[in-house]
Amino acid sequence: MQMNNSNVILIGFMGTGKSSVGKALAERLGWTFIDSDYVIEQQERRSIPDIFAQEGEAYFREVEHQVIRQLLTESGQVVATGGGAVLRHDNQALMLNGGLVVALTASPSEILLRVKKDGDQRPLLQGNAEDKISVLLESRKHAYDFAHTSIDTTNLSIEQIVTAILNEHANEQG
Ligand code: S3P
């Protein structure tokens, strides 16, 4: 695998566990955990729903791109990305070059449960979340395929997912 920096980058649809898994994984590796959505909110001094409402999605995607580009100049981080960060091919290239890219997946019903549980504020799921999830999942069917590896988290605990990623990471180190 040809990559310049050593990070673990978590990608996947909303509600697939990127943040929870990322935090636990970073702890196990003794690495820094960074959530790109959190960095965007800090930088913009407003919430993601506010950015979408006030500036629109295209603006958000541009800030997201700049943040990911900046974050991946460093090493030794577990980076959780927003579910739509993979939509730009330049982001995909940055991620593949920045470390081990791990895609997390989950069934549509599990995604619905998880986003409801975390008190969903996501602009793209407002209204009928179940319908929105189904439409977006279909349109992003292959968006996460570029990852080095993929894990279906539907029936796994955070600990099991972390162990699976640590194994992949160890294999990659040779
Ligand atoms: C988005 C996912 C969100 C956040 C924004 C857009 C998407 O992140 O970046 O609401 O397009 O899938 P999470 O995947 O962390 O929920």
Side-chain angles (χ1 to χ4, degrees), residues 22-34:
K23 274 179 213 154
L25 177 64
E27 209 159 285
R28 286 282 293 275
L29 286 166
W31 287 9
T32 310
F33 170 71
I34 298 174

Side-chain angles (χ1 to χ4, degrees), residues 10 13-22 104 106 114 153 158 161:
L10 300 177
F13 199 80
M14 295 171 262
T16 51
K18 293 162 295 190
S19 298
S20 331
V21 169
L104 302 183
R114 291 185 192 168
T153 67
I158 290 179
I161 304 164

Side-chain angles (χ1 to χ4, degrees), residues 23-81:
K23 274 179 213 154
L25 177 64
E27 209 159 285
R28 286 282 293 275
L29 286 166
W31 287 9
T32 310
F33 170 71
I34 298 174
D35 186 325
S36 67
D37 283 341
Y38 177 77
V39 176
I40 294 167
E41 290 184 324
Q42 294 301 304
Q43 196 170 299
E44 287 283 314
R45 297 171 195 270
R46 49 187 166 168
S47 69
I48 287 173
D50 282 351
I51 302 171
F52 268 73
Q54 294 163 7
E55 314 289 348
E57 181 172 350
Y59 175 89
F60 171 80
R61 295 295 173 208
E62 187 52 34
V63 178
E64 181 175 53
H65 169 68
Q66 299 301 340
V67 163
I68 288 171
R69 192 164 59 90
Q70 182 58 39
L71 289 176
L72 294 179
T73 59
E74 304 285 333
S75 281
Q77 318 163 102
V78 177
V79 180
T81 58

Side-chain angles (χ1 to χ4, degrees), residues 10-12 61 64 68 81-92 95 101 140 142-144 146:
L10 300 177
I11 63 167
R61 295 295 173 208
E64 181 175 53
I68 288 171
T81 58
V86 296
L87 298 174
R88 278 177 65 149
H89 287 273
D90 51 1
N91 286 347
Q92 295 187 10
M95 292 181 202
V101 181
R140 295 181 180 177
H142 296 296
Y144 307 98
F146 74 97

